[in-house]
Every structure is written in structure tokens, then in C-alpha cells.
Amino acid sequence: MSGGLVAVPAPAGQQTVRRHNRALVLGYVAEAEPVSRARVAEHTGLTRGTVSSLVDDLIAAGMLTELSAVRGATGRPASPLQLNRSGPAGLGLEIGVEHVGASVVDLSGTVRVSRRVASDHRDQPPDVGLGAAARLAADVVAGAGLPVAGACVALPGLVDAAGVLRRAPNLPRWDDVDAPERLSALLATPVRAANEADLAALAELWFGDVPADFVHVSADVGIGAGIVLGGALFRGPGGCAGELGHVVVEPGGPACSCGGAGCLERVAGLDALLRAAGASDVEALVAHPGPALAVAAGSLRIALGAAVSLLDVRTVVLGGVYARLGEDLREAVAAELATMTPPVDVRIADPATGGALRAAAASVVRALISG
Amino acid sequence: MSGGLVAVPAPAGQQTVRRHNRALVLGYVAEAEPVSRARVAEHTGLTRGTVSSLVDDLIAAGMLTELSAVRGATGRPASPLQLNRSGPAGLGLEIGVEHVGASVVDLSGTVRVSRRVASDHRDQPPDVGLGAAARLAADVVAGAGLPVAGACVALPGLVDAAGVLRRAPNLPRWDDVDAPERLSALLATPVRAANEADLAALAELWFGDVPADFVHVSADVGIGAGIVLGGALFRGPGGCAGELGHVVVEPGGPACSCGGAGCLERVAGLDALLRAAGASDVEALVAHPGPALAVAAGSLRIALGAAVSLLDVRTVVLGGVYARLGEDLREAVAAELATMTPPVDVRIADPATGGALRAAAASVVRALISG
């Protein structure tokens, strides 16, 4: 504790201050566009001179554009600023158990091109899925015609802080795959990775109409949940929170790839629901769910009931295959959870949010704006 | 957003500053006692004059005492400061389903007197338990001979932000009881209330040897959990997190007072374990648990597995009746959870922490020191 041992923070240099102010200006334009320079100065508390200098730089960097001058209340013409829809864009990728997706969003978060194609990765080495994702990405990037600043890939498993996919129970050959490194090489752009269920929850938070505390269930072959508390993603001490798919809903039930038995994703994941409905694909399941509805609702009562009891979150959002099953499933799950106090609000994910794929792409432009 | 609508914080007045500095001095003495005034000044960054003035006030208020002068390194005699063991004390109360407890801790958090007696409240109106707690409290306060500054009561149910017991499934006549108000009147001291399971987890955090992230299970007739994340209690958006007792571990199992069926506390709470073991009381259960061990371990695998999967917490601490079942139960639960990745560390609550009752009393003196 003697003076010499105490770390003294360096004074914030001019570059630090300028970067901070740049983020202030961009963040406010993103929130309030179209908006005048004068309004930006007023809101941020920066001088008009500082704002003008930063805005000139941001226009030169392709981040902002000026609209045609309009006559303001004072009678002086002003050129409102907005984020540049032709500026740096974000690329979102998704590698699922049976599909890949790619999407480009512009700086405003608007989806410009998005595609999703079937691609079976269940028993394949990682190169198959990574190659399919990279090829689809090249297509959508060419179609969007925007300069891509970076990418984020949604993966159906545990992604560590370095972006390595530690394990994905439904992709047994993908343990410890550094997807960002391999995709960066294929795409020649920086790539991050994140858990698909976490990104799907962020899509609801950023683009949907949800309260500040909720659990979003991502259901496909595997099942995960994104937990949002106080308007922020709750990732847990080790970054692996929300493994709803491995909550036991049928003690002594079928063995799960996680080592347990009777886990939600074995009892009410896509494969189990297809079997229960006697359906060969999702479209057939949705058309004639039959007993699959009761299987899903009964299992979700137990798994979501555990989440509500432990986390005290009172809104649950059903996504993925569960969202495809729609209002019938929502009503059945709500009926199962009706005994809980306080009551639980059960919703279907809003398809307009664009899901994990859009959130992956949007996370790239959000980082550009705040960084 | 115009200037006139922005709330401007008032400048910190001298009283605010003095209160803040008083807490700084007390907090450091609590952490480092016995400690010299010079060391307090050095650590807090306050001038020696300010420290001396604050310390004089704190001695006059009975919060600090000076030990006999010792000769320091500089040769000048110094009188080290410590928290006054005869100063303001905290009273802890506990009202369980079948017992009451009362405990007095001094300013250092040391238990001075503690008692626990059987008292059946299951089908009784609240006055029975409140009266029993107040009588026991009067006894321990008289025995401790310290001036009690306030009390905190641990309750086996959902306590809202105002301290009202909203509901306690195993105390059906206690809905919406304002225990703090009624105990304050009986004891003529300010009383707060908190959930028993939360306080039991804080006892491990404050007085035990646990990591910063863990779940502590409080098992009695009812079962609750206290969740600690990043070294702080996680109470959830509505203050009701950690309802582990109502995680379903036996779908279609026995009806629970919560409205559900097959909840952990119905399947592996004290009543169920007594039945499984054919025992008439806890002592008989602990002596010959028989099939109760497997019932508890199998149920805890499901409920604690759900907590680990959802929260990503890797340490679970077994308390209450589960702690009484000791190493045999710990080993059985650890074996059940052995398939989880990363591994889960299963522990028995440390009896030396003093549990919820001590934490309740300690919360009173911690508030005196920090407030």
C-alpha cells in the first residue's frame, strides 16, 4: 500500500477524449436521427466547434451522411445528420445443426440482405459447416454491395471468452473449434463468435417489445436460453448461463449427449417433437403437431418453471421451433404455468426481430458506433 | 431535455461528507483492527486532524474503543483502536416452521448469546410465532447485556422490499404479515425482515470459506436457496429469486402448497425425508437415514442441476437438514452431478458460520458500520 506500489492511472490523452466524444456523437445520432449539428452539440454538451470537427471526420470515414439542407426554426438552413446507409456494414453468420445463415445489416441495423439454407453438420467435420457459412456469406456480401467492417457468428454451443466453441452437444465433431480464426481467414474480415441463444435474446431486447427482465428460449435440435436481467444479457460467472436444454424434465428419461438423462432438449427438442408428431420436417410438424404440443408444454412447464423459480423472471419468450408452433403452444405453456405466483407472461418471439442472425450482424455495427 | 428540466444534484453538504468519512474510518477499523489513528489516516487519505475528530466522536458514541498505549516503531506511544465489544449490538431473530431462534452479536460480528427452541407454527396464527420470538429475544438480550441497536428477523418465505412476509407456503396463516412492525412494537427496537435462505447464504459469504459465486440450499420443512453472484446476493428482479424448493423434481408427484406438484420441498423436504427414513425427528433421521439419502440425492441432482445449468454457478453448499445428513449426502449428490461439465463442487455448510440467525444479527451491525 506504499505510494510506489499503487498503480496511478495515466491521464486521458487527447486521443482517448476524442474517441469518447466520437462515440457520444455517433450514439446520439443513432438514437435521434435525422438530427442537426446544433442539436448534437446541445445534447452532448460538446462545443459546436468540437461537434463540427468530429462530424467532418465521421462523414469522411463514411459513418455519417448529411441530408439536403432544410430551413430550421431559426430560419437558418441546416443539413440534418444521419447514419450512412452506404457506410460500414455488419455481417452476421449462423451455423446451426442443420442450416447456415448469413445476413448484412447497415449502420442503422436495417437488414439489407439475408439468406438461410439447409446444411447438415450433425456428423460432419467443422470444415463442412464453416465452408458453407463462408460461401453463403460471400453471396450476401456481394448482394448487399456495402463495405463489411466485421462479422459475428452465432454458434449452437458453449462459446468461451476467446470465441472458441468449447462444445456443442449436437455437433459432436466441433469440440474446441476456433470458428472466428477459421472464418476470418476464409472471409478476410475480423470475426467474433457468440452463443446462438444469447444472440436470439439480444434480438428481442434490441428489436422486439419486451420488458427489461426475461428469458428467451431458442429451440431447434438443441435448446438454449438467453437470460436478460435489467436490460442486459446475463452470461453467468463462466459465460455459460442459460443452458435450459439440460434441465431435467423427465427423471430417468432418454440419455442426453451432455451425460445426463431426460434433459429438455432430448424430451422436447426438434427431434423428439418430430417423433411425437410422426412428422418428417418442421413444416409437417407445424401443420399437424398432434401430441407434440402436450409433450412440449409439459416439458416447458418444468424447465421454465425452474427458471422462473430460480431467477424470479416473470416473462418468458418462446423462440425457434416453439415460436413456429405459435399460439397453440403459447396457450398450453401459459396454462401449465398458471399456478405460479406472481403470474408468468408467456409470449411468442416476434419474427420481425430477425433473431440471432440479425443480432449477430447488428452486434458488429453496435460495436462500431460505441467503440 | 431542456436545461430547466434536468435534475441538478445538490452539492454534498458537510454532514454528508462527515457521514461518508465516518463510514470510511469505521469500515477500515473493522477490517484492520487493532489499528492506530495514524494508520487509519494513511489508509483513508483523510488528514490526521479529521481522523482524530471522527474517532473522538465514534468513541463517545460507543462504536470504538482505545486499547492501552503501546510504543510504536517511531518510539511514540500510540493507542490502537478497535470496534467496541460493549458498544451497539445486533439482534438476530429466526422464525421457522417448527422453531424460533434469537442471537446477539457485538459490533465485531462475534456471537455473544444465541438460543434456539422448538415452537410449532405450522397451523398457528402469526401471534404464536411472533410472541415466542419476542420472548426468546428478551431473554438473549438480557443475557448479552449489550445495548441493542436494531434487529433483523429471518422468515421462511417471500419477504417484499417493505419487509412484509407475502407468503410462506409452510405457514398458511402467515400471508401478508408485517412481522417487522409487530416485532418492533413487542421489542421496542427497529426490526427488519429478510428471507431465511438469503441470510443463510450471506452467513457462508461473510463467515465461511466460499468462492464469489455459489448457491446455498437451506433445507428444513421448506427448502429455499440463496444465490450469490460476484460476491453479492442475487435477489432477482422482484426480490424472489432462489425458490429452489419449487423446482419440479418428480413430474406428476405429490401436490405442493405452491399449486404445483412434485416440487423439491414436497419430495425431499424434511417431512418427506422423515417418512422415507421412518424417523420421527431430525435426530432419528440423521442416525438412520436409510432410503432418505437416495431420495434427497436424486432430487437434488435435478433441482441443483437446473440451478447450475441456468446460472452457471459451479459451487453448491448444502445447508439445514441436508448439512445434518453430512458427508454421506454430499458424496451422493456429488456423484449425481458428476456428469456435468465444468464440474460442480458440492460442499456441506460450515456449522461455524452460525447460519441465518447469525447473519440476521450481523446485518444489523454491518449497517451500523457502513451507514
Side-chain angles (χ1 to χ4, degrees), chain A residues 233-250:
Chain A
L233 192 66
F234 171 73
R235 304 187 71 245
C240 300
E243 284 290 306
L244 191 77
H246 300 286
V247 171
V248 174
V249 299
E250 185 186 324

Side-chain angles (χ1 to χ4, degrees), chain A residues 110-292:
Chain A
T110 303
V111 176
R112 300 292 288 265
V113 183
S114 187
R115 286 189 60 198
R116 182 183 155 112
V117 299
S119 177
D120 196 336
H121 312 132
R122 212 182 286 236
D123 299 309
Q124 303 295 325
D127 282 342
V128 174
L130 293 168
R135 284 190 300 277
L136 193 66
D139 273 7
V140 300
V141 168
L146 295 176
V148 166
C152 175
V153 58
L155 297 172
L158 299 178
V159 177
D160 72 14
V164 176
L165 180 65
R166 282 303 168 202
R167 59 183 197 288
N170 296 298
L171 296 176
R173 298 177 67 178
W174 282 65
D175 280 6
D176 297 320
V177 170
D178 190 341
E181 185 183 60
R182 294 165 76 169
L183 287 168
S184 297
L186 292 170
L187 296 168
T189 193
V191 181
R192 292 185 312 106
N195 174 264
E196 185 276 336
D198 284 349
L199 287 168
L202 287 174
E204 287 292 321
L205 181 67
W206 292 341
F207 307 117
D209 176 23
V210 283
D213 305 289
F214 66 92
V215 172
H216 175 278
V217 189
S218 269
D220 198 285
V221 174
I223 294 176
I227 298 167
V228 172
L229 297 172
L233 192 66
F234 171 73
R235 304 187 71 245
C240 300
E243 284 290 306
L244 191 77
H246 300 286
V247 171
V248 174
V249 299
E250 185 186 324
C256 181
S257 52
C258 76
C263 296
L264 174 67
E265 81 175 34
R266 287 292 288 154
V267 176
L270 178 56
D271 291 350
L273 296 184
L274 290 173
R275 274 196 306 277
S280 57
D281 59 21
V282 176
E283 279 61 41
L285 168 67
V286 170
H288 302 287

Side-chain angles (χ1 to χ4, degrees), chain B residues 94-95 153-159 163 165 174 177 179-180 193-197 199:
Chain B
E94 183 172 357
I95 302 179
V153 58
L155 297 172
L158 299 178
V159 177
L165 180 64
W174 282 65
V177 170
N195 174 263
E196 185 276 336
L199 286 168

Side-chain angles (χ1 to χ4, degrees), chain B residues 63-307:
Chain B
M63 299 287 286
L64 293 182
T65 47
E66 268 181 318
L67 302 180
S68 319
V70 293
R71 200 156 291 277
T74 62
R76 290 203 305 164
S79 300
L81 299 165
Q82 69 171 24
L83 295 172
N84 182 5
R85 270 63 175 166
S86 307
L91 170 63
L93 299 171
E94 183 172 357
I95 302 179
V97 177
E98 295 179 323
H99 76 278
V100 291
S103 183
V104 171
V105 303
D106 65 26
L107 266 183
S108 74
T110 303
V111 177
R112 300 291 288 265
V113 183
S114 188
R115 286 189 61 198
R116 184 183 153 113
V117 299
S119 176
D120 197 334
H121 312 132
R122 213 183 286 236
D123 299 309
Q124 302 295 326
D127 282 342
V128 174
L130 293 167
R135 284 190 299 278
L136 193 66
D139 273 7
V140 299
V141 168
L146 295 177
V148 166
C152 174
V153 58
L155 297 172
L158 299 178
V159 177
D160 72 13
V164 176
L165 180 64
R166 282 303 168 202
R167 59 183 197 288
N170 296 298
L171 296 175
R173 299 177 68 176
W174 282 65
D175 279 6
D176 298 320
V177 170
D178 190 342
E181 186 184 60
R182 293 165 74 169
L183 286 169
S184 296
L186 292 170
L187 295 168
T189 192
V191 181
R192 291 186 313 106
N195 174 263
E196 185 276 336
D198 285 349
L199 286 168
L202 287 174
E204 286 292 319
L205 182 68
W206 291 342
F207 308 117
D209 176 23
V210 284
D213 305 289
F214 66 92
V215 171
H216 175 278
V217 188
S218 269
D220 198 285
V221 174
I223 296 176
I227 298 167
V228 173
L229 297 172
L233 193 65
F234 170 74
R235 303 187 71 243
C240 301
E243 284 290 306
L244 191 78
H246 300 286
V247 171
V248 174
V249 300
E250 186 185 325
C256 181
S257 51
C258 76
C263 296
L264 175 67
E265 82 176 33
R266 287 291 291 154
V267 176
L270 178 57
D271 292 348
L273 296 184
L274 290 173
R275 275 195 305 276
S280 56
D281 59 21
V282 176
E283 278 61 40
L285 168 67
V286 170
H288 301 287
L293 272 185
V295 167
S299 303
L300 284 169
R301 187 268 173 265
I302 296 172
L304 288 173

